[in-house]
Amino acid sequence: MLPRCFAMPAWEQWCTFQPFGLSSSTHSSTPPPPPPPGWVKFNIDASVRPNSVAGLGVVARDHDGKRLIAAGSLVEQWDVTRAEILAAIAIRGAVEDWMFNIDGIIIKGDFRNAIMWLQGAFNRLNKLHLRTEGPDLSFLPDFRQVLFSNVPRQCNQLADFCANYACFGNFMWKACDDRNVPPSFLSLLRGDSDQA
C-alpha cells in the first residue's frame, strides 16, 4: 500500500498510480501531452439539452495524436453527471479489437464529478464495476490498464463538438477524409494538432 498524500486535492490523485511518462499536471495553459506509445486516449463529453436530449461524444487518438475514431450517440437524459458517465461508457462502441492488446487507455473528460465517480467505480478493490444495475463498466477490466483524467474544458473541444453534433443523431467517423465529417470539426482537429 502506498501512503496517500492528504495535502493534495482528490482530483489530482488520479495520477498516483500512473505509469512513468504520463504527465501529472492537471492545470496548464498548454494542451496536455499525448498518451505514451502503446496507449490510446479517449476524450469524452456530454451535451444535455433542456428537452432531456443528450449527445454523447467520444474521440479516440493514439500517441501520435492521430484521430482514430470520433463518435457520437443520442440518448434521453436530463442529468449532466449521468450523461457524462454514459459518455465514458459510450467508448465501448468506439473500441476496436486491437485496442485490448495495447498497454492501456486513458479516459479524459472535463466534468470532474463524473471522472471521480468513474475512477471510484473502476477501482478493482471496489466491486462497483461488477454491479448488475446502473452503468455497465464490465468491459473496462478487459484493458491492461485504465486511467481517468480530468482535463480543462479548452483541452476537450473535439469531444465537446462531437457531443453537440450527436444531439442531432448518432454518427461514427473513422477517417478524416470521410465526406460526412463537417469542415468545422476538421478545423478544430487541425488547430488541436498544431497545439500538440
Side-chain angles (χ1 to χ4, degrees):
M1 295 291 294
L2 294 174
R4 186 177 226 178
C5 177
F6 290 103
M8 197 167 53
W11 49 268
E12 287 186 355
Q13 292 180 7
W14 75 271
C15 61
T16 305
F17 303 107
Q18 72 180 354
F20 177 75
L22 292 179
S23 170
S24 62
S25 174
T26 57
H27 296 292
S28 174
S29 59
T30 60
W39 286 69
V40 170
K41 173 178 71 169
F42 289 92
N43 284 76
I44 60 163
D45 202 9
S47 176
V48 178
R49 302 294 169 99
N51 62 352
S52 299
V53 168
L56 312 177
V58 175
V59 176
R61 289 187 281 183
D62 63 10
H63 68 278
D64 289 329
K66 184 177 125 193
R67 180 184 59 84
L68 301 172
I69 296 171
S73 49
L74 177 67
V75 296
E76 184 179 332
Q77 186 55 246
W78 53 91
D79 181 74
V80 176
T81 304
R82 181 139 174 107
E84 292 278 344
I85 292 168
L86 291 174
I89 293 167
I91 70 169
R92 173 183 264 164
V95 170
E96 297 182 347
D97 290 339
W98 63 268
M99 292 180 183
F100 293 108
N101 298 320
I102 60 175
D103 293 335
I105 64 169
I106 303 170
I107 300 174
K108 294 187 172 196
D110 57 27
F111 194 73
R112 182 175 165 249
N113 290 346
I115 293 296
M116 288 176 61
W117 187 92
L118 288 161
Q119 194 173 8
F122 182 68
N123 181 347
R124 294 177 197 265
L125 299 176
N126 176 1
K127 305 297 180 199
L128 183 62
H129 66 281
L130 298 175
R131 288 178 21 181
T132 55
E133 73 277 354
D136 181 13
L137 302 175
S138 61
F139 70 101
L140 289 177
D142 293 338
F143 293 100
R144 290 183 184 164
Q145 293 184 69
V146 179
L147 299 176
F148 298 93
S149 173
N150 181 247
V151 295
R153 187 144 187 82
Q154 67 269 20
C155 295
N156 208 31
Q157 291 181 351
L158 290 171
D160 180 60
F161 180 94
C162 291
N164 283 296
Y165 197 79
C167 288
F168 302 103
N170 299 345
F171 67 90
M172 183 172 290
W173 305 318
K174 291 194 176 186
C176 283
D177 58 352
D178 185 340
R179 56 191 159 100
N180 295 324
V181 179
S184 50
F185 180 82
L186 294 175
S187 175
L188 272 176
L189 182 63
R190 278 191 296 276
D192 195 57
S193 299
D194 292 344
Q195 291 179 358

PDB file of all heavy atoms in Angstrom, residues 45-57:
ATOM      1  N   ASP A  45     -17.278  13.621 -23.699  1.00  0.00           N
ATOM      2  CA  ASP A  45     -18.061  14.763 -23.247  1.00  0.00           C
ATOM      3  C   ASP A  45     -19.535  14.480 -23.490  1.00  0.00           C
ATOM      4  O   ASP A  45     -19.881  13.593 -24.279  1.00  0.00           O
ATOM      5  CB  ASP A  45     -17.643  16.035 -23.989  1.00  0.00           C
ATOM      6  CG  ASP A  45     -18.015  17.298 -23.212  1.00  0.00           C
ATOM      7  OD1 ASP A  45     -18.431  17.189 -22.044  1.00  0.00           O
ATOM      8  OD2 ASP A  45     -17.895  18.398 -23.775  1.00  0.00           O
ATOM      9  N   ALA A  46     -20.384  15.214 -22.810  1.00  0.00           N
ATOM     10  CA  ALA A  46     -21.831  15.097 -22.989  1.00  0.00           C
ATOM     11  C   ALA A  46     -22.419  16.498 -23.092  1.00  0.00           C
ATOM     12  O   ALA A  46     -21.913  17.436 -22.494  1.00  0.00           O
ATOM     13  CB  ALA A  46     -22.466  14.347 -21.826  1.00  0.00           C
ATOM     14  N   SER A  47     -23.476  16.605 -23.866  1.00  0.00           N
ATOM     15  CA  SER A  47     -24.198  17.861 -24.018  1.00  0.00           C
ATOM     16  C   SER A  47     -25.663  17.586 -23.736  1.00  0.00           C
ATOM     17  O   SER A  47     -26.314  16.848 -24.469  1.00  0.00           O
ATOM     18  CB  SER A  47     -24.017  18.391 -25.445  1.00  0.00           C
ATOM     19  OG  SER A  47     -24.781  19.552 -25.630  1.00  0.00           O
ATOM     20  N   VAL A  48     -26.170  18.161 -22.642  1.00  0.00           N
ATOM     21  CA  VAL A  48     -27.562  17.930 -22.237  1.00  0.00           C
ATOM     22  C   VAL A  48     -28.389  19.157 -22.602  1.00  0.00           C
ATOM     23  O   VAL A  48     -28.054  20.278 -22.238  1.00  0.00           O
ATOM     24  CB  VAL A  48     -27.658  17.649 -20.716  1.00  0.00           C
ATOM     25  CG1 VAL A  48     -29.100  17.463 -20.294  1.00  0.00           C
ATOM     26  CG2 VAL A  48     -26.827  16.431 -20.356  1.00  0.00           C
ATOM     27  N   ARG A  49     -29.466  18.924 -23.338  1.00  0.00           N
ATOM     28  CA  ARG A  49     -30.355  19.997 -23.785  1.00  0.00           C
ATOM     29  C   ARG A  49     -31.553  20.113 -22.843  1.00  0.00           C
ATOM     30  O   ARG A  49     -31.890  19.169 -22.134  1.00  0.00           O
ATOM     31  CB  ARG A  49     -30.843  19.712 -25.207  1.00  0.00           C
ATOM     32  CG  ARG A  49     -29.723  19.554 -26.219  1.00  0.00           C
ATOM     33  CD  ARG A  49     -28.981  20.877 -26.394  1.00  0.00           C
ATOM     34  NE  ARG A  49     -27.754  20.750 -27.141  1.00  0.00           N
ATOM     35  CZ  ARG A  49     -27.631  21.030 -28.422  1.00  0.00           C
ATOM     36  NH1 ARG A  49     -28.661  21.419 -29.119  1.00  0.00           N
ATOM     37  NH2 ARG A  49     -26.454  20.933 -29.009  1.00  0.00           N
ATOM     38  N   PRO A  50     -32.239  21.253 -22.832  1.00  0.00           N
ATOM     39  CA  PRO A  50     -33.402  21.440 -21.948  1.00  0.00           C
ATOM     40  C   PRO A  50     -34.544  20.452 -22.203  1.00  0.00           C
ATOM     41  O   PRO A  50     -35.343  20.199 -21.315  1.00  0.00           O
ATOM     42  CB  PRO A  50     -33.862  22.873 -22.255  1.00  0.00           C
ATOM     43  CG  PRO A  50     -32.684  23.550 -22.854  1.00  0.00           C
ATOM     44  CD  PRO A  50     -31.893  22.487 -23.551  1.00  0.00           C
ATOM     45  N   ASN A  51     -34.615  19.868 -23.401  1.00  0.00           N
ATOM     46  CA  ASN A  51     -35.701  18.928 -23.706  1.00  0.00           C
ATOM     47  C   ASN A  51     -35.329  17.482 -23.344  1.00  0.00           C
ATOM     48  O   ASN A  51     -35.930  16.545 -23.852  1.00  0.00           O
ATOM     49  CB  ASN A  51     -36.086  19.033 -25.183  1.00  0.00           C
ATOM     50  CG  ASN A  51     -34.944  18.672 -26.107  1.00  0.00           C
ATOM     51  OD1 ASN A  51     -33.812  18.476 -25.675  1.00  0.00           O
ATOM     52  ND2 ASN A  51     -35.232  18.586 -27.391  1.00  0.00           N
ATOM     53  N   SER A  52     -34.344  17.294 -22.469  1.00  0.00           N
ATOM     54  CA  SER A  52     -33.894  15.974 -21.988  1.00  0.00           C
ATOM     55  C   SER A  52     -33.241  15.129 -23.071  1.00  0.00           C
ATOM     56  O   SER A  52     -33.172  13.914 -22.970  1.00  0.00           O
ATOM     57  CB  SER A  52     -35.046  15.193 -21.355  1.00  0.00           C
ATOM     58  OG  SER A  52     -35.559  15.896 -20.258  1.00  0.00           O
ATOM     59  N   VAL A  53     -32.739  15.758 -24.101  1.00  0.00           N
ATOM     60  CA  VAL A  53     -31.956  15.074 -25.124  1.00  0.00           C
ATOM     61  C   VAL A  53     -30.492  15.331 -24.799  1.00  0.00           C
ATOM     62  O   VAL A  53     -30.098  16.458 -24.510  1.00  0.00           O
ATOM     63  CB  VAL A  53     -32.291  15.609 -26.533  1.00  0.00           C
ATOM     64  CG1 VAL A  53     -31.293  15.134 -27.558  1.00  0.00           C
ATOM     65  CG2 VAL A  53     -33.695  15.187 -26.927  1.00  0.00           C
ATOM     66  N   ALA A  54     -29.687  14.279 -24.826  1.00  0.00           N
ATOM     67  CA  ALA A  54     -28.261  14.424 -24.551  1.00  0.00           C
ATOM     68  C   ALA A  54     -27.459  13.802 -25.678  1.00  0.00           C
ATOM     69  O   ALA A  54     -27.794  12.724 -26.170  1.00  0.00           O
ATOM     70  CB  ALA A  54     -27.907  13.766 -23.217  1.00  0.00           C
ATOM     71  N   GLY A  55     -26.408  14.488 -26.059  1.00  0.00           N
ATOM     72  CA  GLY A  55     -25.462  13.956 -27.026  1.00  0.00           C
ATOM     73  C   GLY A  55     -24.215  13.512 -26.297  1.00  0.00           C
ATOM     74  O   GLY A  55     -23.711  14.209 -25.417  1.00  0.00           O
ATOM     75  N   LEU A  56     -23.723  12.330 -26.627  1.00  0.00           N
ATOM     76  CA  LEU A  56     -22.508  11.792 -26.021  1.00  0.00           C
ATOM     77  C   LEU A  56     -21.417  11.785 -27.079  1.00  0.00           C
ATOM     78  O   LEU A  56     -21.613  11.250 -28.169  1.00  0.00           O
ATOM     79  CB  LEU A  56     -22.745  10.369 -25.519  1.00  0.00           C
ATOM     80  CG  LEU A  56     -24.003  10.135 -24.684  1.00  0.00           C
ATOM     81  CD1 LEU A  56     -24.136   8.661 -24.332  1.00  0.00           C
ATOM     82  CD2 LEU A  56     -23.984  10.993 -23.433  1.00  0.00           C
ATOM     83  N   GLY A  57     -20.280  12.389 -26.772  1.00  0.00           N
ATOM     84  CA  GLY A  57     -19.195  12.474 -27.738  1.00  0.00           C
ATOM     85  C   GLY A  57     -17.951  11.736 -27.267  1.00  0.00           C
ATOM     86  O   GLY A  57     -17.597  11.796 -26.091  1.00  0.00           O
TER      87      GLY A  57
END
